[in-house]
Amino acid sequence: MDYLENRELSWLKFNKRVLEEAVDPDTPLLERISFSAIYQSNLDEFFMVRVGSLTEKAKDKNAKPDKFSGMTPSQQLDAVFTAVRRLQPSVEGALLTTMSELAEYGYEHVSFDKITKEEMSFLELYFKRELKPFISGIVINDALPFPFLQNKEIYAVVQLGSKKGISIGLIPATINRSERIISLGRDGKRFILAEEVILKFAHLMFKNYKVIDRALIRVTRSAAIIASGRGPEFRRRMEELVDKRKKLAPVRLELSGVFSRDALDYLCKKLKLKNARVFTSRIPLDLSYLFTLQEYDSDPRLHYTVRTPRKPAAVSDTRPVFSQVKSKDILLSFPYESMNLSFIRLLQESANDPKVTSIKITLYRLARSSKVIDALCTAAENGKEVLVMIELRARFDEENNIEWSKQLQEAGVNVIYGPKEYKAHSKLLLITRKAQGGNFDYVTQIGTGNYNEKTAALYTDLMLLTADRDIAADAEAVFAGLVNGTFVENTNKLLVSPLALRPQVLAMMDEQIEIAKNGGKGYIAAKVNSLNDSVIINKLIEASQAGVKIELVVRGLCCLIAGVQGYTENITVRSIVGRFLEHSRIFIFGADSPQQKIYIGSADYMSRNTVRRVEVAAPIEDERLRRRIREMFRIFMKDNAKARIMLSDGSYIHERRNPDTTFNSQEYFYEEAYKRLEDRSARQEQMKINREKGAKKKPAPRKTASKKQTEKKAETKAPAKRGRKKSTP
């Protein structure tokens, strides 16, 4: 169908938008190379997870075709490989062009055909002294077992002269990440990579052989593991699965340049890979070193303008955060406002507050040195009831979360792992505190992003802090379900998947459809990371056909194609890809009015979020905060610098107008955060001035009369007596 698109191909279009940032002239040069590295990192994960999963499905002859495109798993794989191959020249061109422009600032990735004799001698000596002692060459032929190639590690491979068939020489080329860049100059900007040096002198590792050909290779392995469980044994099971994942089947082989066809066929045979899964590259196979290059020059022309999260204007320094939330709901916006000075502060204060009795929280991804974990451990050690639902199945964070769960348990925290078959992806916190009269007060936090101080400075997210008792009751029900392995079916205010989110979303969309059918202005808006829930997509199409205006901001994959006559002509789709990763989720139902409904939460419009995970979204009811979110959405729709608009054929274009009117939403929000704090400081200063002026205008106090004067005055003027005056006899 013309208005639907395959999930995998839509995701590849998103990664193409990431790559566009690597060639955008408005992006500083050293920031451009980071987008090249991000593109590759994204693609690695895509192959490990999505291609790995499709590869397994392709083995099943009864596998169902994709509901959006009608393609079988095998057809989807073919389409994916074709799309990736078509993007490769753009990937190479982006990095090579940026590096050539960086030459003006002294940067040069040197190739062996351009180095001097002195540098060649230096590198040969470097290889013999610094590299060779730590590596070993392995000879591979049919008489020997094929060695295990680690996921995403680089190997130097050489074809060796042999009278009996093909012989391959293999050298692991990963020494130490920090030593991968070999400097050929004082500042490190003129460099060569360690794997390139190893490949150049690989013949020294196989002195009894003739080296016929050589290349660098990199294998990507599937990471598609499925785990279920919830009891004490689940953590041990997860440890086993994470170890098993490292040994899953290869799904891709990358190759630097051209290599002997016979030798390549031999490698593919040993790795059980078809040639269709071999991808050649003219640039390094692992671009993670590009982040290090950024540190070699602090010239502001090469970097983004320095931005640091501001202290939230809505949070005072003079009162505990808990009491501030009791007075009014607080909305936090990251990375523009500081997580450390707001949410982390709330946790730390609560951990040490003697009146706080319990803290309950769901954890998905955490920073390496997590202040959240520190605060939770402190709370438990202070005798509070601390319940932590930590998701051990958070992809590629499994090992971290396993270790965090152990540390939490050692501190006396009650750790649970959530439902057996469902991930808990919600961002939910409930704090209970003793109040006067033996009652309790509650603060509930619902967010769109993880409790990760590092990513909170890189991802755009929203967080609501509220003392609403109905929301607290809903949060308590969510935690009870996580403990008992059950799901919330009915709520007061929160939307909670897998049972009580999608039905409510559909019902609110139906309300807008009815408004449009009755001649009113129906309106639906959403900002999500991805859209592929077929039920929600069908409802959006129905709404469009009914005349409802629909505005979607979808950063990543979007299986709904906008602007198709007869189906989606009333739908617009934008994708914002810029300096910060757009991660916030906002749902809006209805035009601006008291009846308009606004939610923020952790769920995307994906079936995995709406029916296969525990997710939570909260209503924004405070009119101040509602106005703020409406304004935020207006700003998203105004962006013409980093926004791309989806066309009716599924492609995306920049809506870049006259450079004089370029509008960058992310820069606007940072400026707004600065201004909000400045305005608050200005108000506080003005209040201080007013108090001082008021003190000066007060009349001088009267002089106090002496005791003698007071007594004399009392004698001359006695007070009038109360009551009726007596008559004279």
Side-chain angles (χ1 to χ4, degrees):
M1 289 174 277
D2 294 339
Y3 53 88
L4 299 174
E5 180 159 40
N6 173 261
R7 166 183 175 155
E8 321 308 340
L9 298 182
S10 179
W11 185 90
L12 288 172
K13 288 182 180 179
F14 154 66
N15 211 28
K16 181 176 181 288
R17 298 194 289 277
V18 172
L19 186 62
E20 288 172 359
E21 292 299 300
V23 294
D24 189 336
D26 291 338
T27 304
L29 286 172
L30 285 179
E31 306 294 347
R32 288 189 214 171
I33 61 174
S34 70
F35 279 104
S36 288
I38 292 168
Y39 169 90
Q40 186 194 66
S41 176
N42 287 347
L43 193 61
D44 285 346
E45 184 171 332
F46 176 77
F47 267 88
M48 292 165 65
V49 179
R50 297 305 307 167
V51 174
S53 178
L54 278 175
T55 300
E56 289 302 310
K57 290 180 181 179
K59 296 175 183 178
D60 182 1
K61 294 181 180 180
N62 298 318
K64 294 180 181 179
D66 172 48
K67 55 191 168 186
F68 297 124
S69 65
M71 292 190 290
T72 65
S74 294
Q75 290 171 329
Q76 291 179 68
L77 287 171
D78 290 341
V80 163
F81 298 148
T82 299
V84 172
R85 219 175 291 282
R86 285 176 178 168
L87 277 172
Q88 189 60 28
S90 299
V91 178
E92 296 168 352
L95 181 58
L96 295 173
T97 299
T98 305
M99 289 303 299
S100 67
E101 293 184 46
L102 281 169
E104 178 184 343
Y105 299 90
Y107 282 92
E108 184 183 5
H109 185 170
V110 183
S111 60
F112 273 98
D113 58 353
K114 291 184 179 180
I115 65 172
T116 65
K117 290 182 179 179
E118 291 78 11
E119 288 171 337
M120 178 66 85
S121 298
F122 162 74
L123 289 174
E124 183 172 2
L125 187 61
Y126 185 93
F127 172 79
K128 292 177 178 178
R129 290 182 176 179
E130 304 295 333
L131 300 177
K132 188 179 178 183
F134 304 101
I135 57 179
S136 58
I138 307 167
V139 177
I140 305 166
N141 54 44
D142 288 334
L144 299 168
F146 191 79
F148 180 81
L149 303 187
Q150 298 287 342
N151 184 42
K152 298 194 297 181
E153 297 296 334
I154 297 174
Y155 294 84
V157 60
V158 297
Q159 182 181 4
L160 302 173
S162 174
K163 295 179 181 179
K164 297 181 180 180
I166 298 289
S167 284
I168 298 290
L170 197 68
I171 308 171
T174 301
I175 308 300
N176 186 305
R177 298 284 184 189
S178 62
E179 297 175 357
R180 188 177 169 206
I181 299 174
I182 301 174
S183 175
L184 296 176
R186 291 182 179 179
D187 56 9
K189 294 181 181 179
R190 194 167 189 273
F191 67 94
I192 197 166
L193 299 177
E195 64 262 27
E196 295 165 341
V197 176
I198 291 172
L199 183 65
K200 177 66 176 179
F201 298 106
H203 57 279
L204 299 180
M205 305 294 293
F206 304 99
K207 291 187 177 180
N208 297 325
Y209 293 87
K210 179 183 178 182
V211 173
I212 299 173
D213 203 358
R214 66 185 78 200
L216 295 170
I217 63 170
R218 182 173 180 256
V219 168
T220 310
R221 293 184 176 275
S222 172
I225 60 172
I226 300 175
S228 63
R230 61 184 308 272
E233 293 299 311
F234 181 51
R235 187 168 67 194
R236 181 185 59 78
R237 171 68 176 150
M238 279 305 304
E239 289 177 308
E240 293 173 354
L241 283 173
V242 170
D243 187 59
K244 178 183 176 183
R245 182 174 64 193
K246 299 173 183 177
K247 302 169 185 176
L248 293 181
V251 293
R252 177 180 59 165
L253 175 64
E254 293 175 280
L255 185 72
S256 66
V258 180
F259 191 49
S260 162
R261 187 78 238 177
D262 290 340
L264 181 57
D265 288 344
Y266 182 82
L267 281 174
C268 288
K269 178 183 176 182
K270 292 295 184 181
L271 291 168
K272 297 180 181 179
L273 277 174
K274 295 180 180 179
N275 287 333
R277 298 193 178 216
V278 178
F279 296 84
T280 59
S281 177
R282 295 187 298 130
I283 58 177
L285 302 181
D286 177 359
L287 298 182
S288 58
Y289 72 96
L290 294 175
F291 294 112
T292 304
L293 291 186
Q294 289 185 308
E295 302 169 6
Y296 291 171
D297 198 317
S298 58
D299 189 327
R301 293 173 297 175
L302 301 177
H303 297 273
Y304 285 126
T305 302
V306 176
R307 296 287 199 182
T308 54
R310 299 289 88 186
K311 181 175 68 175
V315 180
S316 169
D317 293 333
T318 58
R319 295 166 57 204
V321 179
F322 193 103
S323 64
Q324 294 182 60
V325 178
K326 277 182 62 181
S327 302
K328 62 179 181 179
D329 289 358
I330 293 176
L331 182 71
L332 301 170
S333 177
F334 309 129
Y336 315 110
E337 296 174 318
S338 169
M339 176 180 276
N340 286 323
L341 298 177
S342 54
F343 175 76
I344 300 295
R345 178 184 155 196
L346 169 65
L347 265 187
Q348 292 170 337
E349 289 175 349
S350 299
N352 292 290
D353 184 344
K355 291 188 177 182
V356 167
T357 59
S358 75
I359 299 174
K360 299 177 181 180
I361 191 170
T362 60
L363 300 180
Y364 197 78
R365 300 189 195 278
L366 296 158
R368 294 287 182 182
S369 299
S370 175
K371 295 179 182 178
V372 173
I373 294 292
D374 291 343
L376 294 172
C377 290
T378 298
E381 289 161 359
N382 286 340
K384 304 181 191 308
E385 177 198 352
V386 181
L387 174 69
V388 173
M389 199 304 303
I390 188 163
E391 183 51 76
L392 300 187
R393 293 163 292 193
R395 186 170 286 125
F396 304 123
D397 272 293
E398 300 97 340
E399 290 179 277
N400 291 335
N401 289 358
I402 287 169
E403 292 306 312
W404 286 131
S405 71
K406 294 176 181 177
Q407 184 173 326
L408 288 165
Q409 283 185 329
E410 289 173 1
V413 173
N414 182 15
V415 177
I416 60 173
Y417 305 124
K420 183 177 180 181
E421 304 288 345
Y422 292 70
K423 285 185 181 179
H425 185 251
S426 56
K427 325 300 178 187
L428 183 66
L429 167 74
L430 176 63
I431 300 172
T432 303
R433 187 177 188 273
K434 288 180 181 178
Q436 291 181 349
N439 295 319
F440 292 93
D441 290 325
Y442 306 91
V443 162
T444 310
Q445 172 273 324
I446 305 96
T448 69
N450 295 300
Y451 304 118
N452 185 320
E453 305 95 288
K454 182 178 179 181
T455 57
L458 302 172
Y459 295 5
T460 74
D461 274 305
L462 294 171
M463 179 180 286
L464 174 69
L465 300 173
T466 180
D468 186 293
R469 289 184 173 273
D470 287 336
I471 289 179
D474 285 346
E476 186 63 64
V478 173
F479 283 109
L482 291 171
V483 170
N484 300 325
T486 58
F487 300 122
V488 174
E489 296 185 46
N490 299 295
T491 61
N492 299 303
K493 292 184 176 181
L494 295 182
L495 307 181
V496 184
S497 66
L499 300 180
L501 187 147
R502 188 165 75 176
Q504 283 83 339
V505 166
L506 295 174
M508 288 184 280
M509 289 182 176
D510 280 331
E511 290 174 357
Q512 298 307 308
I513 291 172
E514 285 304 309
I515 290 172
K517 285 181 176 179
N518 293 325
K521 294 183 178 179
Y523 178 72
I524 297 171
K527 181 177 182 292
V528 292
N529 296 332
S530 302
L531 169 61
N532 86 328
D533 185 312
S534 59
V535 177
I536 288 179
I537 286 175
N538 288 335
K539 185 61 68 175
L540 289 170
I541 294 169
E542 180 186 344
S544 174
Q545 291 172 326
V548 177
K549 180 181 179 181
I550 302 169
E551 294 180 323
L552 304 176
V553 180
V554 186
R555 185 199 77 222
L557 69 93
C558 181
C559 295
L560 175 68
I561 297 177
V564 178
Q565 287 299 313
Y567 297 97
T568 61
E569 66 266 33
N570 290 313
I571 301 176
T572 59
V573 174
R574 288 170 173 255
S575 173
I576 298 175
V577 178
R579 174 177 182 175
F580 305 109
L581 181 81
E582 289 293 336
H583 195 254
S584 56
R585 287 94 164 187
I586 302 170
F587 312 148
I588 302 175
F589 306 95
D592 295 0
S593 71
Q595 289 72 43
Q596 184 185 54
K597 298 173 183 177
I598 300 176
Y599 290 82
I600 67 167
S602 58
D604 286 311
Y605 280 168
M606 299 183 74
S607 54
R608 75 178 188 186
N609 300 97
T610 56
V611 295
R612 293 199 298 274
R613 287 184 176 180
V614 177
E615 306 273 10
V616 175
I620 304 299
E621 298 183 321
D622 186 302
E623 187 53 37
R624 297 173 302 107
L625 307 186
R626 290 163 60 83
R627 284 197 302 269
R628 186 176 173 192
I629 289 186
R630 283 196 293 265
E631 176 64 9
M632 290 177 71
F633 208 89
R634 188 186 70 80
I635 295 302
F636 294 138
M637 300 306 293
K638 186 179 175 182
D639 192 313
N640 62 3
K642 295 304 176 183
R644 280 81 166 171
I645 313 301
M646 181 193 280
L647 302 181
S648 59
D649 63 355
S651 63
Y652 289 78
I653 61 165
H654 265 101
E655 194 193 28
R656 187 160 294 177
R657 304 187 183 98
N658 188 315
D660 295 335
T661 61
T662 296
F663 186 83
N664 186 319
S665 60
Q666 294 183 347
E667 289 300 316
Y668 173 87
F669 288 131
Y670 239 124
E671 291 293 342
E672 183 193 40
Y674 278 67
K675 185 175 183 299
R676 283 163 60 88
L677 190 58
E678 290 169 0
D679 289 348
R680 180 187 168 189
S681 298
R683 288 195 302 270
Q684 291 175 334
E685 183 62 27
Q686 188 60 50
M687 290 171 64
K688 180 182 177 182
I689 292 171
N690 291 343
R691 285 195 299 269
E692 291 174 351
K693 287 182 178 178
K696 291 179 181 178
K697 290 180 180 179
K698 285 182 179 179
R702 295 179 180 178
K703 292 182 179 180
T704 304
S706 66
K707 186 175 181 181
K708 287 184 178 181
Q709 289 174 325
T710 303
E711 292 173 349
K712 187 176 181 181
K713 190 174 182 181
E715 290 173 4
T716 57
K717 190 177 182 180
K721 293 182 179 179
R722 291 181 179 178
R724 214 168 28 177
K725 188 176 180 181
K726 288 184 179 181
S727 58
T728 305

